[in-house]
Amino acid sequence: MKTALTTLVLALALPIAALAQTPSAATTREIGQLFSALQASGCTFSRNGTWYTAQQASDHLRRKYDYLLKKGMVSSAEGFIELAASKSSLSGQPYLVRCGTAPPVQSGRWFSSKLKALRGAG
């Protein structure tokens, strides 16, 4: 009976484990480039109504990204942008990026344009 139960548990767990994805080397490189672009931007980053430096924003997003990686939830740069870099997981409010005197833009749009530029340069 114990063997049958163990087999059943494993059989149910395998499909779930198969859903967890590891990003490809290319995806990991692109996400790293997005972090670098943010850090080098000199822009400020709004999270839940408070503005942060680009480095503080990068640190926060890195923690979110690492969490999502452990859960196998990021398989593309677009997934990173959608799940980690676009809005607060707690409040649901969109993050904003403000560069110089330009008006703030939603961070999802900012990161998507950076990703497009990175891909265009490659």
Side-chain angles (χ1 to χ4, degrees):
M1 182 71 171
K2 188 174 183 181
T3 302
L5 181 60
T6 302
T7 302
L8 177 62
V9 169
L10 288 174
L12 293 173
L14 286 176
I16 294 169
L19 293 175
Q21 299 177 9
T22 302
S24 68
T27 295
T28 301
R29 184 180 63 253
E30 284 181 338
I31 294 170
Q33 290 172 320
L34 290 174
F35 277 110
S36 295
L38 175 60
Q39 291 169 353
S41 71
C43 300
T44 55
F45 189 92
S46 176
R47 187 176 90 234
N48 295 320
T50 302
W51 289 94
Y52 297 91
T53 66
Q55 184 61 55
Q56 290 170 317
S58 181
D59 293 344
H60 173 73
L61 295 178
R62 175 66 67 181
R63 286 189 298 276
K64 285 183 75 173
Y65 176 55
D66 289 343
Y67 172 82
L68 292 169
L69 280 177
K70 288 178 189 171
K71 298 290 185 183
M73 296 175 67
V74 177
S75 61
S76 68
E78 290 85 359
F80 160 73
I81 293 168
E82 180 184 339
L83 296 173
S86 292
K87 65 182 178 181
S88 169
S89 300
L90 297 176
S91 71
Q93 290 182 337
Y95 295 144
L96 300 173
V97 176
R98 182 176 57 206
C99 301
T101 59
V105 297
Q106 289 192 1
S107 63
R109 193 170 110 206
W110 188 88
F111 277 108
S112 292
S113 70
K114 293 297 178 189
L115 180 60
K116 184 176 179 183
L118 289 169
R119 288 178 174 167

